[in-house]
Amino acid sequence: MLEYSPLIFFLPLLAFPVILFLGRNLPAKGASLGIGVMGLCFFWSAALFFNALAGSLALPYDRSISWFEFGMYDVSLGVHLDGMTIVMLFVVTLVSLLVQIYSLGYMHGDPRFKRYYAFLSLFTASMLGLVLADNLLVLFACWEMVGLCSYFLIGFWFEKPEAAQAGRKAFITTKLGDLGFYAGLLMIFAVAGTFSLSSLEDMARSGFFSKDLALAVSLLLFCGAIGKSAQVPLFVWLPDAMEGPTPVSALIHAATMVAAGVFLVARTFFLFEINPLSLQIVAIFGAVTAFLAALMGTVPEDIKRVLAFSTISQLGYMMAGLACGGPQVGMFHLTTHAAFKALLFLGAGSIIHAVHTNDIWKMGALSVRMPVTFVTFAVGVLALSGIFPLSGFYSKDEILHAAASSGNWPVAALLFITAGLTAYYMTRVLVLVFLVGAHDRDRYAHAHESPPVITVPLVILAVLAAGLGFFLHGEERWGLLIPARLEAELYHIPTIFVAAASTGLALFGIFTAWGIYRSRWIDYELLYDKLRSPWLFLYRRMGFDHFWLFMVDAGYRLSAACGWFDYHVVDQVFVDGWGFMTTALARVGGWFDNVVIDNLVDFWGLLTSRLGNLVRSTVSGFVQSYLLYVILGISAILAARLYF
């Protein structure tokens, strides 16, 4: 079973060109091939997952071949399977399969339907390759493929300026973080001489990396995770990524692109744990991201943007969980989050499909018109809010307990506050969309429940969002997949205290939102007027977008200044000036050669010629003349001797 695991990557990769070039001749324009391939990959991944839970797989499993050689180095191409890999395979293939089935209904009639399914297959293959990679170079190649596919899918409806701009924004922003990842990759190879994850982990365990080197390398790798997993300050691309099709949003936010950064930190955790400072930095970034994104999630009117800020916040939770509790804690929340976040996004797509708007203030009373969507969406909201016994309760409380028991009180405080904010803004959406009177009677009148191709994936995800946490939690199950890595707790805090505090804050957030938007204990319109300045501050994303736009504008100005300097100084002064000076010197040299050197040469030639003519005139051929010359010469010599 393990030896055929590379096919989980190659099957969707091969499906991409087949759908793209031959999709018109395939059933459902290639969607059938994409769904069939993903179904096969899911069942294969599920078999690995449940066998790993049963302890019947010999893990870790490594298989590689030589990819290329240069000098004394040999770079391999292979797979590395351990519990973390198998969990990610299960999550990615499950969400991708449900998204592809859901898309049959959601994208029906789209003129680029075939291309959409081709890109979905490539996107999923890229993420699966990233997960399976046994070395950092292959992981980085698949990492960049994920970024490229996100550009294709976020800007899928590129005729809309907003979608095209969102695709560019996601691509450029994530590339900024990727620069750090690439620098870390080069530093690792320069020091260790290998990209192999297994070899690097062995080196880390043996003390090969010093604390300072490990800190530098781990933080450079974390730069890549900041971009891909939308941490402060590079989170600005994720809310705008909502311009893509809603199923793509579900895939990006639940199982692929944003999960890649969390997986990278978990996969290279052996570097982060060498120096506790790197984990502290990751924890701070995660907690601040979770808190700020939760604040910003309280104000949008677009249902998908609320979910986008929720994703950013939960990614912050995952990073903090990795730093405070290790891969076991962070990856547990990634797994449960994939279920309820995919559910929420696909539920939002069902709502948008029915009312043809993203604005929650133009919805209302949809629980009557869309009962299946309402119930499943409510399950997702409660799971995300961390209400017992749904899956979010177990995974979120693991993170809160890890943060509190590690003694990282500022991080723990921010995460606890975020738990209450999360419940508040998600209840706000649930109430305004489903439980208050219709805001737009025309949209309400035309609303209807989505077809089974949309609602069946919602029901499946709702079941997972409800029970996955209970099924997996505990050392007896989750610990078999991802063993604990960090040291013992610094403080012993009973889990019941953490559960009571987090549940209390979540219930407070739920009742506050219910009281404001359902029971109208407070006139929220008056409340908005009173709090307009902070509301606008949050609505404008706390100025992060303006900051990056300023940086982009500064970059344009700098590039324009560099262009001016290049043209007017480098080109015209140095290049053209040097050419002008060289030409002038060449002309002076030519004149000197023609006038001085040539005339000087001609002068000596003329002088020699004239002297030769003179001497030649003395040669008459008569002996008596030569005797005369001899006598004259001897006479001159004698005269000179007598005189001197």
Side-chain angles (χ1 to χ4, degrees), residues 50-116:
F50 289 109
N51 276 282
L53 283 177
S56 59
L57 294 179
L59 297 175
Y61 170 81
D62 290 279
R63 184 182 180 186
S64 63
I65 59 173
S66 179
W67 186 13
F68 63 89
E69 296 180 3
F70 63 101
M72 59 184 291
Y73 302 107
D74 182 15
V75 180
S76 65
L77 182 65
V79 297
H80 173 79
L81 271 86
D82 56 7
M84 191 186 307
T85 304
I86 289 174
V87 168
M88 288 299 296
L89 291 178
F90 178 75
V91 169
V92 173
T93 54
L94 171 63
V95 174
S96 182
L97 174 61
L98 294 176
V99 164
Q100 293 207 29
I101 294 172
Y102 178 98
S103 297
L104 279 174
Y106 192 88
M107 297 297 290
H108 177 71
D110 192 280
R112 291 188 288 273
F113 185 84
K114 171 176 67 73
R115 185 187 303 178
Y116 171 81

Side-chain angles (χ1 to χ4, degrees), residues 377-514:
F377 195 88
V379 170
V381 168
L382 294 175
L384 176 58
S385 301
I387 301 300
F388 179 83
L390 303 180
S391 59
F393 167 81
Y394 293 96
S395 59
K396 186 179 290 187
D397 274 24
E398 288 278 354
I399 295 173
L400 294 172
H401 185 267
S405 60
S406 67
N408 208 330
W409 305 118
V411 169
L414 287 176
L415 295 179
F416 272 104
I417 295 170
T418 301
L421 289 171
T422 302
Y424 167 79
Y425 66 70
M426 289 310 303
T427 304
R428 168 180 175 259
V429 172
L430 185 69
V431 168
L432 291 177
V433 173
F434 291 103
L435 299 176
V436 298
H439 300 289
D440 189 323
R441 300 301 303 180
D442 291 336
R443 294 183 188 277
Y444 172 78
H446 289 89
H448 56 82
E449 187 58 271
S450 299
V453 72
I454 289 179
T455 56
V456 169
L458 294 180
V459 173
I460 294 172
L461 288 168
V463 172
L464 291 172
L468 192 61
F470 175 78
F471 175 73
L472 290 177
H473 86 286
E475 288 295 326
E476 66 277 5
R477 284 191 179 274
W478 190 250
L480 287 174
L481 292 172
I482 308 176
R485 296 275 287 276
L486 291 184
E487 297 177 357
E489 300 169 350
L490 184 62
Y491 299 98
H492 177 68
I493 300 176
T495 54
I496 188 65
F497 290 171
V498 175
S502 66
T503 302
L505 287 169
L507 290 175
F508 178 76
I510 290 172
F511 289 134
T512 301
W514 184 276

Side-chain angles (χ1 to χ4, degrees), residues 193-247:
T194 181
F195 293 113
S196 171
L197 286 164
S198 299
S199 299
L200 290 171
E201 186 167 4
D202 291 340
M203 290 178 180
R205 302 280 178 240
S206 66
F208 177 83
F209 294 96
S210 67
K211 283 193 172 184
D212 291 339
L213 178 61
L215 176 65
V217 168
S218 57
L219 291 184
L220 285 172
L221 296 179
F222 184 57
C223 288
I226 288 175
K228 276 288 193 292
S229 289
Q231 301 295 287
V232 170
L234 297 182
F235 69 90
V236 292
W237 67 270
L238 197 54
D240 293 330
M242 301 302 97
E243 295 295 338
T246 300

Side-chain angles (χ1 to χ4, degrees), residues 4-16 37-38 40-41 44-45 77-79 89 93 121-133 138 141-143 145-146:
Y4 297 110
S5 56
L7 291 175
I8 297 175
F9 162 69
F10 283 111
L11 286 176
L13 181 65
L14 294 174
F16 162 67
V37 164
M38 197 46 56
L40 180 60
C41 292
W44 207 325
S45 301
L77 182 65
V79 297
L89 291 178
T93 54
S121 293
L122 182 61
F123 197 14
T124 305
S126 303
M127 187 64 191
L128 292 171
L130 185 154
V131 168
L132 285 165
V138 177
C142 293
W143 178 280
M145 285 176 61
V146 168

Side-chain angles (χ1 to χ4, degrees), residues 67 75-76 130 133-143 181-182 184-189 194-198 200 209 217 221 263-264 267-268 270-271:
W67 186 13
V75 180
S76 65
L130 185 154
D134 73 334
N135 68 76
L136 283 173
L137 185 62
V138 177
L139 190 152
F140 184 71
C142 293
W143 178 280
F181 185 2
Y182 184 60
L185 199 67
L186 296 179
M187 184 179 292
I188 288 173
F189 187 76
T194 181
F195 293 113
S196 171
L197 286 164
S198 299
L200 290 171
F209 294 96
V217 168
L221 296 179
F263 177 78
L264 175 66
R267 173 59 80 206
T268 58
F270 54 84
L271 292 172

Side-chain angles (χ1 to χ4, degrees), residues 315-378:
L315 290 168
Y317 258 100
M318 294 173 207
M319 290 296 185
L322 287 171
C324 296
Q328 188 184 65
V329 174
M331 292 298 294
F332 185 30
H333 193 55
L334 184 151
T335 304
T336 59
H337 175 265
F340 54 73
K341 185 49 60 70
L343 169 62
L344 289 170
F345 266 105
L346 296 184
S350 177
I351 297 165
I352 295 167
H353 189 263
V355 298
H356 304 292
T357 182
N358 293 23
D359 192 340
I360 58 177
W361 292 101
K362 295 180 180 178
M363 301 177 188
L366 294 181
S367 59
V368 178
R369 293 283 186 173
M370 309 178 70
V372 176
T373 301
F374 165 61
V375 172
T376 55
F377 195 88

Side-chain angles (χ1 to χ4, degrees), residues 568-589:
H568 290 91
V569 178
V570 176
D571 279 357
Q572 294 194 349
V573 174
F574 291 103
V575 178
D576 294 346
W578 183 256
F580 174 79
M581 185 175 67
T582 304
T583 303
L585 288 173
R587 288 175 178 172
V588 171

